[in-house]
Amino acid sequence: MTKSRSLRIALSVVVAAALAACSSTATTAPAATTGAAAPTTAAATSKVYTYKDMTVGFIQTGSESGWRAANTSSFKETATADGITLKFYDSQNKIENQITAFNGFIQDPAVNVIVLAAVDVTGYDDVLKAAKAAGKVVVIEDRRIDSDASLYYTYIGSDFDKEGNEGAAAMCTALKGMSGANVVEIGGDQGASAAIDRAKGFREGIANCTDESIQIIDSQNAAAWDPTVGKSIMEAFLKKDAGKIQGVFAHNDELGVAAIQAIDAAGLKAGTDIKVIAFDATADGFKYLISGEMFADIECNPLLAPQVYKAALDDLNGVTGQASWTPSEEGQFFASQGADALKAILATRKY
Ligand code: GZL
């Protein structure tokens, strides 16, 4: 534990107490807690922190998808297993709620670690600077943000650009031999780096497609990744671009399933008339790979808590030299693997 961190924490306790004294509206994010009582502020000693000393303020985006549910479970289950005190905050997919929660955790002397799953790619600089000044450990999980890497310990999350490339390669294979194919895009929330980077990677990838010339003839983002909005977007595309759509690029499984439902409702056959590529590889996605209605599902790993908590503990213990980004390890799955093989894989998965 470096002396400067002890001093910063000691100062933050004084500041927090002052804030609490002069303002009854000092907000601490509404949260459920699990685990042991909060640790006392570390004296300026060479204390070695353990997980039982960690009180984590976790700012989650919301509960918009099966991926998000698995990500939340990873953090709650791992905290319970490791004896970490977890204060969980559901931001309802609104950045303004995330800023409120951040300030609440900064002012909470019991919280020594803040973990952010960012709704948007920008808008966090001020709270990150305040958290740093307050001596809080900050780790970014899931989605990258545009803030300077010096403002947090590390980022643990997927390479969405690479995922987009992989989705494009799958689409090239799906539409091979059509001598000119049209794709429509149903994007996730336009502010999220997962959507921004998948869109970028997919466009890079189809430009390199040697088996087929593919163009994106229509594109629309579903705010907050809402599958109901995604289905309406696909219904509108099927009317506007009737008979011209060969492929759907959906930014997550829920939007891919919504597209499949719209395709079926229009009297077409997903997997035959129109090929759907999606992302996350959740159990729902596997269901449509097994039925053949989804052509490919690019995995995005939500089980990040063990890596995130370990990084936070390293920072508490003054470990330096951490990489600014640790990309998640993940694969891709195809209907062509066959229903039996996919069912066997699904039986081994946690989400
Ligand atoms: C990806 C994650 C995305 C998922 C969506 O890491 O940020 O957010 O792909 C979720 O399902 O809404």
Side-chain angles (χ1 to χ4, degrees), residues 64-65 67-68 142-143 160 194 198 225 251-252 280 300:
E64 72 279 1
S65 66
W67 189 97
R68 191 61 54 192
D142 174 18
R143 299 177 187 166
F160 303 115
R198 281 174 185 157
W225 304 77
H251 283 200
N252 77 349
D280 286 349
C300 182

Side-chain angles (χ1 to χ4, degrees), residues 13-323:
V13 171
V14 170
V15 168
L19 274 175
C22 66
S23 156
S24 59
T25 58
T27 52
T28 300
T33 62
T34 57
T40 55
T41 306
T45 63
S46 57
K47 172 179 170 60
V48 177
Y49 278 78
T50 70
Y51 284 136
K52 290 179 176 41
D53 298 317
M54 274 172 53
T55 295
V56 175
F58 177 33
I59 306 169
Q60 180 58 290
T61 60
S63 53
E64 72 279 1
S65 66
W67 189 97
R68 191 61 54 192
N71 185 243
T72 291
S73 296
S74 175
F75 279 86
K76 289 184 174 177
E77 289 167 10
T78 306
T80 301
D82 292 346
I84 293 167
T85 299
L86 182 67
K87 295 190 172 191
F88 177 82
Y89 184 83
D90 177 335
S91 310
Q92 306 289 317
N93 272 286
K94 291 184 170 64
I95 186 169
E96 56 269 29
N97 291 345
Q98 297 205 310
I99 302 305
T100 300
F102 228 115
N103 286 315
F105 288 142
I106 288 168
Q107 291 161 25
D108 183 344
V111 170
N112 50 12
V113 175
I114 298 173
V115 174
L116 172 68
V119 167
D120 288 344
V121 72
T122 58
Y124 301 96
D125 284 0
D126 291 346
V127 286
L128 287 169
K129 288 171 185 167
K132 192 177 180 86
K136 309 281 182 175
V137 168
V138 176
V139 177
I140 310 299
E141 75 104 10
D142 174 18
R143 299 177 187 166
R144 71 169 178 82
I145 58 175
D146 277 355
S147 297
D148 190 279
S150 65
L151 293 177
Y152 51 86
Y153 184 64
T154 191
Y155 160 49
I156 294 171
S158 298
D159 182 342
F160 303 115
D161 195 285
K162 177 172 176 276
E163 290 179 359
N165 286 169
E166 290 169 348
M171 189 66 85
C172 287
T173 303
L175 303 180
K176 186 176 180 180
M178 299 196 77
S179 63
N182 299 320
V183 167
V184 293
E185 176 183 24
I186 307 174
D189 193 282
Q190 63 183 14
S193 56
I196 294 164
D197 295 353
R198 281 174 185 157
K200 174 174 171 285
F202 187 87
R203 283 162 174 77
E204 291 162 353
I206 58 172
N208 299 328
C209 182
T210 53
D211 297 335
E212 188 49 67
S213 66
I214 295 174
Q215 59 172 338
I216 297 174
I217 59 169
D218 240 318
S219 173
Q220 196 168 339
N221 289 79
W225 304 77
D226 183 341
T228 307
V229 173
K231 188 174 181 185
S232 302
I233 290 170
M234 188 65 201
E235 287 164 349
F237 286 161
L238 286 165
K239 290 190 180 76
K240 179 182 168 203
D241 308 313
K244 291 191 291 182
I245 301 170
Q246 284 80 45
V248 177
F249 161 37
H251 283 200
N252 77 349
D253 285 345
E254 282 74 14
L255 296 174
V257 169
I260 288 166
Q261 290 168 345
I263 290 164
D264 292 349
L268 298 168
K269 187 86 183 86
T272 307
D273 300 319
I274 296 179
K275 303 292 189 347
V276 178
I277 308 289
F279 297 75
D280 286 349
T282 60
D284 250 3
F286 264 80
K287 182 179 152 195
Y288 287 86
L289 287 172
I290 290 164
S291 72
E293 292 169 282
M294 186 179 286
F295 182 85
D297 204 349
I298 310 302
E299 185 181 39
C300 182
N301 181 1
L303 308 179
L304 302 177
Q307 289 172 269
V308 172
Y309 290 147
K310 176 62 171 65
L313 188 63
D314 284 347
D315 194 14
L316 282 174
N317 284 316
V319 174
T320 56
Q322 171 83 10

